[in-house]
Amino acid sequence: MKNYQNISDFSRKSVPTKISKTTLLSLMVPLFTLTSVAAMGQEADTVDAESTSDTWVPDGNAITVTARKREERLIDVPISVTALSGEALEARQINDVTSLVGKTPSLYSSSNLLSPGKDFINLVIRGIGAQSAGTPAVATIVDGVYVPALSFDIGFMDVERVEVLRGPQGTLFGRNTEGGALNIVLRRPDEFARGKVALSYDTFNTVRAQAALSGPLADTIFAAASLDFENSDGYLDNPVLPAQNGLSGTVPADDFRKFSGRLALRFKPTDTLDINVTIDGSDRKGLDGLPGVPRGCDCYDVRSEFQIDARYKNYGGALTVDWDLGFGELTSITGYRKVTSSLPFDFDGSPEFTDNVHDLQTRQSTFSEELRLAGTSFDDQFDWIIGGYLFREKHLQLRRYDLRNILQFPGGITVFNQDQDLKRDGWALFADGTYTLFDKLDLNVGVRYGRETAKSDIVLDFVIYDLLGPGLDYAAAGMATGKLTEDSFTPSASLTYRWSRYFSTYARYARGFRAGGFPLAPADTATNLPFHGEKTENFELGAKANLFGGMLSFDAALYLINLTNQQVSSILFLNGDPDLPVAAVVNAGKSRSKGFEFSSTVRPVNGLTLSADVGYVQAKYREYIDTVGASRAGERFPFVPEWTVNASATYRFPVTDAIDLELFGSYRYVSDILSGSGVDIDVQFPVKGYSIGDIRASLISDPWKLDFFVDNVTDNYVETRVWNAFFFLEPRPFSVLLPPRRAGVRFSYQF
């Protein structure tokens, strides 16, 4: 793979002299698909085992989560949660955040017109976050530390569990959890020595090697290390580059290599003091197949006339100190993370228009400190948390165009600078308490007050050639500064009634907040204008049960969300002058989202597990006037499928005294979406819904496991979103696709 980082190197094309071809693995794996059963019955008091569809742990122990920043049984938490253990993630081959889409109710991802790449992907939960104008509406938390953006595809490497928290989490997790939060809990080293190695290979010549080791260094010191290496030819091809050199065949268009690692050190000098340090990092270099496959080709061919490697780097860490003071536990979490990306690509995506280069480089960093005190009072009837939080965040975006051959401006356009230096800092105070009445009724109340300041410095410098006539160019340059300070107040309250140890119902209210900011790519200095925070009011009813000694469990939630001050693209009149309209992000929308989630697991006989997850979302604008003055009231949100359905079956049985065979089959369905906001150059395209089936057969014998798998068994052609190459008179859409059928094998060994 070639990689040219500098703008001056854009004329150099990457044309490999050797054309790589993938080798297809022939695998015969039995297909096993069953429909999940969900029903409610009388409780059995023999086993304290609980789970929802993706929370099952092989040993049947109760699932604990930290959705409220303390360990609790999942069934006792008045929040709609999908919790996946490290074992469940591995069994379902969920390797990163984007792999959760379609497998978790009401979860999807949004994109942005600025780039078709990974650097503008954000999570959407219950429709919240569909408008990606500013900061994410669904936060990602790694080891207790807020990650500034999902853009860089956090991997699930040696994690204890992943929790998808639906609905606002502003009281305890803070800003930008308006739609929910993704809480990634890393595995801490302890006194037990353990290790694991794994190696996999698949159809696309993807080789992945993983290793993890954990255990004691001394009586009070423990350490862990994990490594993850992946190299792939990808599933997209480019036939244009060989043809330009008189060759036949194709070259890979999305080949990459990625290296990740994590180190953890734990010091536990006494039973009351626990100090943990984690450091992790990843480096991904390769092609992303941008801008995508020409829409409508029904193929996996990218037609760019040059390819330049993208580069993503992500590293950070956390220092966590837990100190038991007797009357409560004091916790300090100090975190730092930095992510960078370089994403150059052929803007027009074809050889018909030459030398059109788009380059977007992003550098983000965040530092945060959280200090909280948690305890129990009044004979264990009152659980409480109080704390404070502060952060400093930097987001530098450098954008360059060199478009010499486009139709909107016949002479072409060069953008030397469209740069934004965005800085944020702020603080918050929070408190949360749960009081138990009559041993069955829990009343929870939480409050959080925050204040933050955002400052945006932009630099613009561009030339439109021949705009004023032959040889008469239009040039513009300038700088601007903007500042925004705002407060937020995010209360929450819930009532939980435990009908028994294994069945509970709850009612919850929570307010969510998404921070305001500035447009990411203002067209001129006059549009570097702030927009304010967005708010949601979430009302939710839920029920959780674990019945018949763990044979049947379910988690159901019904919700209604009202959005106010919604951040949308609209018209703003400078100084109130109707003759000076500019397109900007403003707080011009009101919307409503309503729906339900249902997850269930059934274990009718020993060794057989059936599960199902269903999410329904109806998210529509109630008030919204867009940039051309059109009312969008009644329209559905972009990037929000109404239905997400996932069903799976697992059956494990012995084939010899030492070896078990496990068969797994899953089916997921995601209904249609609208890709793009439909405002200005962000053309909106309908994207069909899709369904995918996966199967796996595993030979298991302590301590090893051998998996044979086939993903997308029926080889469905799946489009997930569309990006339009603007600066052309007519829409020029490109499709982002999921992989075709993929078969592979994976071997793992634990010790």
Side-chain angles (χ1 to χ4, degrees):
M1 294 179 292
K2 302 290 184 181
N3 183 34
Y4 305 113
Q5 299 265 346
N6 300 320
I7 195 75
S8 60
D9 291 330
F10 279 146
S11 60
R12 299 168 62 186
K13 315 295 192 298
S14 71
V15 184
T17 56
K18 183 178 180 180
I19 300 174
S20 174
K21 294 184 178 179
T22 58
T23 305
L24 179 64
L25 293 175
S26 299
L27 298 174
M28 299 299 295
V29 184
L31 175 61
F32 191 89
T33 24
L34 293 167
T35 305
S36 177
V37 179
M40 184 174 173
Q42 301 296 320
E43 69 168 292
D45 56 3
T46 57
V47 181
D48 181 18
E50 65 173 87
S51 70
T52 55
S53 62
D54 276 322
T55 61
W56 178 61
V57 177
D59 61 11
N61 290 333
I63 295 293
T64 59
V65 296
T66 53
R68 295 195 291 179
K69 297 204 172 182
R70 54 181 178 268
E71 288 194 352
E72 301 175 277
R73 295 192 318 156
L74 181 60
I75 201 171
D76 295 329
V77 178
I79 300 172
S80 180
V81 182
T82 296
L84 299 97
S85 67
E87 292 81 2
L89 293 168
E90 179 181 317
R92 289 156 178 78
Q93 297 194 46
I94 300 175
N95 300 319
D96 51 40
V97 175
T98 55
S99 302
L100 291 168
V101 174
K103 301 177 182 179
T104 302
S106 306
L107 176 71
Y108 203 70
S109 60
S110 69
S111 189
N112 190 289
L113 70 94
L114 295 178
S115 170
K118 299 178 180 180
D119 47 356
F120 278 98
I121 295 177
N122 288 318
L123 285 181
V124 180
I125 293 180
R126 295 179 173 177
I128 310 303
Q131 285 273 14
S132 55
T135 58
V138 177
T140 302
I141 313 295
V142 179
D143 207 24
V145 177
Y146 173 83
V147 177
L150 171 66
S151 316
F152 304 95
D153 207 8
I154 297 294
F156 300 151
M157 180 175 56
D158 196 29
V159 301
E160 182 175 322
R161 68 182 173 276
V162 171
E163 302 168 0
V164 181
L165 314 178
R166 290 180 284 270
Q169 309 296 322
T171 299
L172 292 176
F173 287 94
R175 58 197 290 272
N176 301 338
T177 58
E178 181 190 31
L182 182 74
N183 188 28
I184 302 174
V185 182
L186 301 180
R187 195 185 305 275
R188 289 186 173 182
D190 53 30
E191 65 272 19
F192 299 104
R194 61 179 180 269
K196 183 176 182 178
V197 293
L199 183 65
S200 64
Y201 178 79
D202 71 22
T203 301
F204 310 127
N205 279 339
T206 303
V207 177
R208 188 176 186 188
Q210 300 167 286
L213 184 64
S214 177
L217 297 180
D219 290 342
T220 60
I221 302 176
F222 317 97
S226 56
L227 298 173
D228 190 342
F229 174 78
E230 186 175 7
N231 190 89
S232 178
D233 281 352
Y235 56 93
L236 299 177
D237 296 315
N238 187 333
V240 172
L241 296 184
Q244 288 177 336
N245 290 270
L247 302 174
S248 60
T250 64
V251 295
D254 61 337
D255 56 331
F256 71 91
R257 67 174 181 270
K258 182 179 180 181
F259 181 81
S260 305
R262 184 171 76 88
L263 294 173
L265 185 65
R266 185 178 186 184
F267 179 46
K268 207 169 186 302
T270 68
D271 291 337
T272 60
L273 182 61
D274 193 354
I275 302 173
N276 287 268
V277 179
T278 61
I279 301 173
D280 67 86
S282 67
D283 188 334
R284 186 186 189 279
K285 181 180 179 181
L287 299 171
D288 282 347
L290 300 181
V293 171
R295 197 174 197 224
C297 75
D298 196 26
C299 66
Y300 294 91
D301 291 337
V302 173
R303 302 189 66 251
S304 298
E305 97 247 14
F306 62 86
Q307 297 185 158
I308 304 173
D309 281 355
R311 187 77 177 266
Y312 302 92
K313 294 183 179 180
N314 180 345
Y315 62 87
L319 169 63
T320 303
V321 180
D322 296 306
W323 188 13
D324 189 345
L325 302 177
F327 64 90
E329 184 173 274
L330 182 67
T331 298
S332 169
I333 303 177
T334 306
Y336 176 79
R337 185 158 296 272
K338 184 173 183 179
V339 289
T340 63
S341 71
S342 175
L343 196 64
F345 63 91
D346 179 8
F347 182 81
D348 62 86
S350 75
E352 286 82 27
F353 302 93
T354 59
D355 299 325
N356 288 327
V357 178
H358 175 260
D359 182 29
L360 185 64
Q361 299 184 26
T362 305
R363 303 167 192 167
Q364 301 177 64
S365 65
T366 182
F367 168 83
S368 63
E369 170 63 35
E370 179 174 326
L371 189 66
R372 66 175 185 260
L373 182 65
T376 302
S377 304
F378 305 115
D379 296 326
D380 295 335
Q381 286 187 294
F382 182 51
D383 293 328
W384 50 270
I385 296 176
I386 58 173
Y389 176 81
L390 59 86
F391 75 94
R392 173 161 290 179
E393 185 177 302
K394 298 180 180 180
H395 186 142
L396 178 63
Q397 183 174 280
L398 308 175
R399 196 173 183 215
R400 309 285 187 269
Y401 288 106
D402 192 7
L403 309 180
R404 298 304 182 97
N405 192 357
I406 56 177
L407 296 181
Q408 184 171 349
F409 304 114
I413 179 174
T414 297
V415 177
F416 301 102
N417 298 95
Q418 191 179 27
D419 303 341
Q420 181 189 59
D421 187 2
L422 181 63
K423 298 183 176 69
R424 299 177 182 269
D425 59 76
W427 55 269
L429 298 174
F430 60 89
D432 184 86
T434 301
Y435 191 78
T436 301
L437 303 169
F438 319 118
D439 294 327
K440 288 183 176 291
L441 181 64
D442 288 347
L443 171 63
N444 173 264
V445 177
V447 293
R448 187 184 188 103
Y449 173 79
R451 184 178 179 87
E452 68 177 79
T453 299
K455 182 182 178 183
S456 171
D457 295 304
I458 65 169
V459 177
L460 298 177
D461 185 5
F462 65 92
V463 176
I464 303 177
Y465 302 102
D466 301 333
L467 182 65
L468 306 178
L472 299 176
D473 303 336
Y474 172 81
M479 302 173 64
T481 297
K483 187 175 182 180
L484 172 69
T485 298
E486 57 184 346
D487 301 330
S488 62
F489 179 64
T490 51
S492 65
S494 65
L495 277 172
T496 304
Y497 190 79
R498 294 187 301 277
W499 301 85
S500 72
R501 181 169 171 77
Y502 306 104
F503 176 49
S504 66
T505 56
Y506 68 88
R508 180 176 187 254
Y509 161 80
R511 178 182 295 170
F513 175 75
R514 180 185 184 189
F518 293 82
L520 293 175
D524 55 59
T525 56
T527 59
N528 187 43
L529 300 170
F531 52 88
H532 293 274
E534 181 180 281
K535 297 178 182 178
T536 57
E537 307 281 344
N538 181 88
F539 304 90
E540 183 175 326
L541 297 174
K544 301 185 181 188
N546 183 10
L547 309 171
F548 306 117
M551 293 177 60
L552 168 65
S553 61
F554 69 81
D555 185 340
L558 183 70
Y559 64 86
L560 172 68
I561 303 174
N562 290 321
L563 287 85
T564 56
N565 296 323
Q566 188 174 9
Q567 299 167 5
V568 292
S569 298
S570 189
I571 292 175
L572 189 68
F573 296 101
L574 294 180
N575 301 320
D577 188 342
D579 293 327
L580 296 175
V582 294
V585 178
V586 298
N587 301 95
K590 291 184 180 180
S591 300
R592 174 168 291 171
S593 176
K594 57 185 178 181
F596 68 86
E597 292 115 14
F598 181 81
S599 299
S600 177
T601 298
V602 182
R603 302 185 182 93
V605 297
N606 187 37
L608 177 62
T609 301
L610 311 175
S611 66
D613 302 271
V614 180
Y616 173 76
V617 183
Q618 187 184 92
K620 294 183 177 181
Y621 300 112
R622 299 174 65 193
E623 296 180 14
Y624 176 22
I625 305 298
D626 67 14
T627 56
V628 296
S631 174
R632 307 283 293 277
E635 292 187 19
R636 58 185 289 200
F637 284 8
F639 301 110
V640 180
E642 282 192 332
W643 291 96
T644 51
V645 178
N646 184 66
S648 66
T650 305
Y651 185 49
R652 180 170 173 173
F653 57 93
V655 292
T656 70
D657 291 340
I659 299 176
D660 287 354
L661 175 63
E662 183 176 86
L663 304 178
F664 171 80
S666 71
Y667 166 86
R668 66 184 184 273
Y669 168 74
V670 178
S671 63
D672 65 287
I673 66 164
L674 296 173
S675 182
S677 67
V679 176
D680 293 328
I681 58 176
D682 191 16
V683 180
Q684 194 167 76
F685 300 91
V687 175
K688 294 181 180 180
Y690 65 86
S691 59
I692 290 181
D694 302 328
I695 56 176
R696 171 176 53 82
S698 303
L699 295 173
I700 305 171
S701 178
D702 189 27
W704 57 265
K705 181 181 180 183
L706 181 63
D707 299 315
F708 301 91
F709 60 87
V710 181
D711 297 336
N712 192 3
V713 177
T714 53
D715 200 22
N716 291 354
Y717 187 79
V718 178
E719 179 185 49
T720 61
R721 64 183 190 274
V722 179
W723 184 78
N724 179 53
F726 47 91
F727 288 136
F728 284 87
L729 296 176
E730 298 292 334
R732 194 174 181 82
F734 295 89
S735 298
V736 177
L737 307 174
L738 289 183
R741 181 189 295 120
R742 166 166 48 191
V745 60
R746 183 177 188 270
F747 176 79
S748 61
Y749 183 86
Q750 299 188 60
F751 54 91

